[in-house]
Amino acid sequence: MSGMDLWNVERVTAGEYQIMVPDRKIFFNEPIFTELNKGKIDNVHYLVVRKKGSPRFAVIIGQIDKMAKCPFSAPYSYPVTIREDATVMDYDIALSQIEIYCLNHGMENIRFIFPPFIYDESCLSTWTSSLYRAGYKVFNADINYTLDLRQLNKKDYEMQISSKGRKHLRKAIKSGIEIIHCDTEELEEEAYQIIVDNHSAKGRPIHLSFGQLQDVFAIVPHDTFLARLGDKGIASMIYYQITESIVQCIYSGYLLEYSNSGVMNYLSWYAIHYYGELGFAYIDRAIATEDSVPNYGLCDFKDSVGGKRSIKYTFGKELKEG
């Protein structure tokens, strides 16, 4: 019996996946999130990769026609290890088994969008190596920004950031801008509408309606921060708790007439302090690129608030028999 013969892929239900994969690592790997979005695709495959009958890896694949996507409706996802003693060879074989499964179920192409490595450095590093050696192409290498709260949530924050960042932060504080932690649906909708207006003005679509956002809020710890000047809302940010130690800024925006107010620097500083005091390690400020092409202004802003750059990879491959 060859080593490959010891392995197999089992398709399970969402409920079975929940039980068989006790640590799903990130919110976007959760069956409850997948079930919320499964109407957007043709089929969902909850897969458990076994060795000698023992579950070793798990992945959620969304099928759209002949394409396998991980994720299919999230900024990132990845196959998780069920046992921490998985070897590099185990990763390679598991990937091969996932590909065989996809081919056997009519999927001829596969795509993975990984999170930045801060989420699971050892696992993601190994998957990246496996995919590279298995012939995957890098379709995107996006610049992702992270705020290290253990470093930034300190009294000397202003001295850690750029002079431009300090100038904007001090300007916003002196202006009397107030930050509100939204605790009603009405406030959340006001914050959401500011983001919609901002994205619309810049030609960037919002993929979630307010009702759809509320559906996600119902299943994930979240925070919405609204900045007001007087009685007018001028900017906002929305965060999801992705892991026990990382939150992600999912949406942010400001009214364009307040672009020089420093309000986004103030909101960023507020979040750094808020989540730092709660004991979180990182804020994921997401990408500042689109299809790998930098938005230089956005890069400069995320640099200015203390962001550190990392890479967020998209891999893809055409699957072939044999």
Side-chain angles (χ1 to χ4, degrees):
M1 179 179 291
S2 69
M4 292 285 285
D5 293 334
L6 303 174
W7 293 77
N8 72 288
V9 176
E10 178 186 7
R11 185 179 182 182
V12 299
T13 66
E16 291 169 336
Y17 191 95
Q18 183 91 14
I19 295 169
M20 297 171 69
V21 189
D23 185 1
R24 295 165 296 279
K25 306 295 185 182
I26 62 173
F27 169 64
F28 297 121
N29 284 343
E30 292 290 344
I32 192 171
F33 177 76
T34 302
E35 290 296 295
L36 182 65
N37 290 284
K38 68 180 183 180
K40 300 175 181 179
I41 59 171
D42 299 330
N43 218 336
V44 176
H45 300 258
Y46 294 95
L47 305 181
V48 174
V49 185
R50 294 177 177 271
K51 180 182 181 182
K52 297 181 181 179
S54 172
R56 298 302 178 94
F57 298 90
V59 65
I60 300 172
I61 297 288
Q63 182 176 358
I64 302 175
D65 194 17
K66 296 181 179 181
M67 170 69 79
K69 291 187 174 184
C70 173
F72 63 86
S73 184
Y76 47 77
S77 182
Y78 65 104
V80 297
T81 53
I82 297 175
R83 287 179 46 161
E84 295 303 319
D85 62 350
T87 67
V88 173
M89 182 181 290
D90 288 341
Y91 278 80
D92 290 349
I93 296 175
L95 178 60
S96 177
Q97 291 291 305
I98 292 167
E99 291 179 357
I100 292 169
Y101 174 92
C102 289
L103 268 174
N104 289 341
H105 289 79
M107 291 171 271
E108 299 175 359
N109 290 276
I110 189 167
R111 186 197 68 179
F112 292 99
I113 304 176
F114 286 170
F117 283 17
I118 59 162
Y119 283 95
D120 197 349
E121 184 172 7
S122 178
C123 182
L124 289 165
S125 296
T126 313
W127 281 128
T128 298
S129 172
S130 291
L131 267 61
Y132 172 76
R133 289 179 287 103
Y136 282 73
K137 294 181 179 179
V138 176
F139 285 114
N140 280 307
D142 287 297
I143 298 174
N144 199 91
Y145 281 84
T146 302
L147 300 172
D148 187 339
L149 303 182
R150 299 163 299 184
Q151 173 186 334
L152 295 174
N153 183 35
K154 295 181 179 179
K155 292 181 179 179
D156 68 344
Y157 169 72
E158 287 190 24
M159 303 313 298
Q160 294 189 56
I161 60 177
S162 69
S163 59
K164 185 177 181 180
R166 281 196 299 275
K167 177 183 176 181
H168 283 301
L169 176 59
R170 290 170 180 174
K171 181 179 181 179
I173 292 172
K174 288 179 181 178
S175 71
I177 291 172
E178 177 189 9
I179 307 297
I180 298 170
H181 192 171
C182 300
D183 58 1
T184 68
E185 186 173 321
E186 182 180 9
L187 285 172
E188 288 175 342
E189 187 166 14
E190 181 181 352
Y192 170 82
Q193 191 57 50
I194 291 170
I195 294 167
V196 171
D197 292 345
N198 175 271
H199 283 229
S200 177
K202 295 182 176 182
R204 295 163 51 204
I206 291 284
H207 298 293
L208 292 179
S209 68
F210 182 67
Q212 291 170 325
L213 185 64
Q214 289 291 303
D215 290 340
V216 182
F217 280 178
I219 62 174
V220 64
H222 63 278
D223 296 286
T224 302
F225 301 113
L226 172 66
R228 278 187 174 163
L229 186 58
D231 60 358
K232 184 175 184 179
I234 64 171
S236 58
M237 290 183 176
I238 298 172
Y239 292 82
Y240 293 169
Q241 182 178 331
I242 306 299
T243 75
E244 291 183 356
S245 62
I246 304 173
V247 296
Q248 183 178 22
C249 184
I250 297 297
Y251 285 128
S252 66
Y254 57 89
L255 300 183
L256 294 189
E257 59 264 38
Y258 294 93
S259 60
N260 293 315
S261 67
V263 64
M264 299 305 278
N265 299 75
Y266 192 13
L267 276 167
S268 298
W269 172 83
Y270 186 93
I272 287 168
H273 180 70
Y274 178 79
Y275 289 115
E277 292 303 300
L278 288 177
F280 286 89
Y282 296 103
I283 293 175
D284 179 356
R285 282 306 310 266
I287 60 174
T289 49
E290 185 171 350
D291 293 331
S292 305
V293 178
N295 178 328
Y296 292 119
L298 190 55
C299 289
D300 290 348
F301 166 71
K302 293 184 179 184
D303 284 330
S304 78
V305 299
K308 299 299 182 184
R309 303 174 206 133
S310 59
I311 290 292
K312 177 173 173 276
Y313 285 113
T314 299
F315 294 99
K317 181 180 178 181
E318 180 181 352
L319 302 178
K320 298 178 181 179
E321 296 285 352

